[in-house]
Amino acid sequence: MPAFQTVRGMRDLVGEEAAAFTNIISKARETAMLYGYREVITPVVEPLELLSAKSGEEIRQRMFIFKDLGERQVALRPEFTASIARLATTALKNEPKPLRLFSVGSVYRYDEPQKGRYREFWQSNFELLGSARPEADAEIILLTNRLLKSLGLQSYAFKIGHIGVIRGILSQEGVEEKTQNAILQRMDKKEYEEALKLAPNEHCRNMLDGLLKLKSNDCFETVEKIKSYVADCDKAKGAAENLGEVLKLVVESGCPVQVVEPAFARGLEYYTGVIFEVYIPQLDIALGGGGRYDRLIELFGGEPTPAVGCAHGIDRVAIALQTQKTEFAAKIGKRVLVLSVNDALKVEALKIAQMLRDAGAAVEFEVMGRKMAKALEDADKRKVDYAVIVGERELKEGSVMLRNLSKREQTIVPINTLADKITN
Ligand code: HAM
């Protein structure tokens, strides 16, 4: 047999990399808990039709699609939002609003593999269903801020825009939705010239071109410029006003906004309102992104339900933390090796190991049948804090030998005080 490799674009995570992932996931879960988001677990495989409905051309072309043995067209999820919108029209249909839902797991896109871009990657995903108000958009941005801050990330900043500005202009110009989507796809990829070429007439082209030039260093000033630029277009003007309201809430709550992008677009087609992405200066790939999608749930046959959400790319957040050399303190208790001097004492040793785990210590049991010296040497190499040696003589007196591996000291400790001695 050949030595197998992972499939292109898929990774094994071991050691520090795996620990960094679990750290981010536990912080995301903690953020969900602190903001009142309930965790839901949805399938990795979903009907193709559900996933492709409003995901946008870019993602549609990059899905892992196959027929299952029952001849159903299915795909690996490229994101969570479609699954959550489906849940909102089925199992959670009658839940009172607002509904706050959190998910975490792997998602799949046939992207060209490179640093920070994989074919299997992980997202932590937050969706807030049932509110059309700016404070809902602000909450999603602020919880992203909290998550990144709690991980110790420095100098990250948000890029914010509103999909309704360009859509408003294009609708006023009579551009049909399919062409709007094509223009927005190009804008998302920063292929502005290509995007402008798709505009149906000179006036429309000039409007888009002018919009691109409104960007300034001051976010609030940019919003004011957009407002006056689209003063004759009701829909776009409403969008700019809404953007200003969300921006105010976010900035005044202390969240770092780097720029308001007048012609901001994102790959996904379901967005209807404020959209955002978050970056650090050292990397030009987004660590997370999201926005408002008020019509998706209705499109899936549910009640009209305004919604806003975001996803954080765990692989990219891990790269960002590594780039900034952010240390994280793994929350594990003291590490202990428990071993017995002979086979007859194994049961007693197992009981002591269990007692120490109940007290919060991370306990390994010697399962290799090694000689004491070898087992201790190995534990010391792996930075285990203590060895608990269960021996006949000590046990008769209700005690064990406790060895501090780094200090190379050992004392006899009564079993009833052992947990306290190790964990305090
Ligand atoms: P998205 O911007 O497509 O949004 O993905 C969110 C994040 O996933 C990105 O910002 C990035 O960090 C990460 N990501 C995307 N592609 C890759 C890749 N190939 N490799 C590694 N990381 C990647 C969504 O998925 C929306 N569902 C977010 C949302 C939720 N909007 C509303 N609710």
Side-chain angles (χ1 to χ4, degrees):
M1 284 278 232
F4 291 114
Q5 302 291 330
T6 55
V7 170
R8 186 164 148 78
M10 318 261 171
R11 302 186 298 157
D12 291 320
L13 297 169
V14 294
E16 285 292 300
E17 265 187 318
F21 253 61
T22 12
N23 176 48
I24 299 167
I25 292 168
S26 61
K27 282 282 187 319
R29 219 170 241 127
E30 184 185 292
T31 307
M33 189 269 289
L34 292 173
Y35 280 76
Y37 285 67
R38 259 195 288 157
E39 185 159 356
V40 289
I41 300 172
T42 56
V44 171
V45 176
E46 290 274 20
L48 174 62
E49 216 184 328
L50 171 98
L51 298 175
S52 54
K54 275 283 173 189
S55 58
E57 208 41 46
E58 173 87 6
I59 288 185
R60 266 195 289 274
Q61 282 176 8
R62 292 175 189 272
M63 273 198 276
F64 284 80
I65 300 171
F66 56 100
K67 260 195 190 144
D68 71 8
L69 294 181
E71 294 290 306
R72 295 171 200 91
Q73 278 279 350
V74 295
L76 302 184
R77 61 181 177 204
E79 53 137 7
F80 285 100
T81 310
S83 305
I84 300 299
R86 171 179 52 69
L87 252 189
T89 65
T90 53
L92 301 179
K93 190 165 89 180
N94 298 321
E95 289 285 304
K97 306 290 182 304
L99 193 53
R100 292 181 167 94
L101 302 173
F102 165 72
S103 306
V104 61
S106 56
V107 295
Y108 301 83
R109 296 181 195 174
Y110 204 80
D111 282 336
E112 195 45 39
Q114 52 195 279
K115 187 178 174 188
R117 197 175 294 281
Y118 311 101
R119 291 183 177 167
E120 177 184 64
F121 57 99
W122 280 60
Q123 288 186 339
S124 72
N125 188 85
F126 293 74
E127 310 286 357
L128 171 45
L129 313 180
S131 169
R133 298 175 64 87
E135 47 271 39
D137 303 66
E139 175 171 305
I140 289 290
I141 296 172
L142 291 171
L143 71 78
T144 299
N145 179 39
R146 192 199 180 276
L147 170 61
L148 299 182
K149 202 173 183 175
S150 71
L151 284 164
L153 206 64
Q154 307 281 323
S155 63
Y156 58 85
F158 289 81
K159 172 168 126 182
I160 303 188
H162 198 300
I163 201 72
V165 174
I166 308 187
R167 285 219 190 259
I169 294 174
L170 295 174
S171 300
Q172 176 124 326
E173 295 287 332
V175 179
E176 60 171 25
E177 198 180 327
K178 212 165 143 220
T179 314
Q180 288 190 19
N181 293 342
I183 293 176
L184 290 168
Q185 288 291 336
R186 308 262 176 332
M187 293 260 189
D188 173 42
K189 290 199 199 146
K190 303 197 173 51
E191 297 168 358
Y192 298 118
E193 273 186 27
E194 296 300 311
L196 293 180
K197 276 189 203 152
L198 294 174
N201 57 52
E202 185 88 26
H203 183 252
C204 184
R205 208 164 12 256
N206 290 340
M207 274 303 278
L208 292 182
D209 196 27
L211 189 66
L212 285 165
K213 295 185 177 124
L214 296 182
K215 197 158 127 184
S216 81
N217 287 336
D218 183 298
C219 299
F220 290 101
E221 192 185 305
T222 311
V223 173
E224 288 312 313
K225 282 190 189 170
I226 304 173
K227 274 194 214 163
S228 46
Y229 188 70
V230 297
D232 296 335
C233 174
D234 284 349
K235 277 192 188 155
K237 193 167 156 237
E241 277 162 6
N242 177 245
L243 173 61
E245 284 177 276
V246 175
L247 185 70
K248 185 169 183 303
L249 292 174
V250 166
V251 171
E252 288 182 6
S253 305
C255 180
V257 177
Q258 190 199 4
V259 69
V260 164
E261 196 79 59
F264 190 13
R266 287 185 22 84
L268 295 144
E269 250 162 41
Y270 46 64
Y271 291 120
T272 56
V274 163
I275 46 177
F276 71 92
E277 283 171 356
V278 60
Y279 291 86
I280 54 163
Q282 298 91 340
L283 292 173
D284 62 357
I285 43 176
L287 306 185
R292 173 165 289 284
Y293 55 101
D294 284 348
R295 285 195 284 277
L296 191 62
I297 294 169
E298 191 180 346
L299 183 83
F300 287 174
E303 289 287 308
T305 310
V308 56
C310 66
H312 313 115
I314 292 174
D315 307 64
R316 292 188 185 177
V317 173
I319 293 174
L321 291 169
Q322 195 190 33
T323 307
Q324 296 188 349
K325 303 203 176 353
T326 313
E327 298 280 334
F328 69 89
K331 254 203 209 150
I332 48 166
K334 283 277 172 354
R335 294 180 65 191
V336 183
L337 172 73
V338 173
L339 66 172
S340 59
V341 296
N342 63 40
D343 282 357
L345 297 173
K346 260 193 284 195
V347 172
E348 281 309 320
L350 280 169
K351 283 187 193 159
I352 290 169
Q354 196 47 50
M355 173 197 79
L356 293 175
R357 290 188 189 109
D358 290 344
V363 183
E364 295 173 29
F365 194 79
E366 170 57 24
V367 290
M368 300 298 283
R370 286 177 291 203
K371 292 242 158 55
M372 178 89 62
K374 193 100 192 106
L376 293 179
E377 186 191 313
D378 168 63
D380 188 29
K381 257 194 228 151
R382 292 183 303 103
K383 306 252 180 297
V384 171
D385 301 289
Y386 292 102
V388 171
I389 302 157
V390 182
E392 206 115 34
R393 209 166 350 114
E394 293 84 7
L395 202 59
K396 268 196 196 127
E397 286 157 18
S399 300
V400 288
M401 184 74 82
L402 177 65
R403 185 174 170 85
N404 184 321
L405 289 170
S406 59
K407 290 189 184 155
R408 298 180 196 283
E409 289 168 2
Q410 53 187 39
T411 45
I412 293 173
V413 176
I415 294 171
N416 57 10
T417 65
L418 184 66
D420 269 357
K421 181 123 186 137
I422 285 176
T423 54
N424 291 322

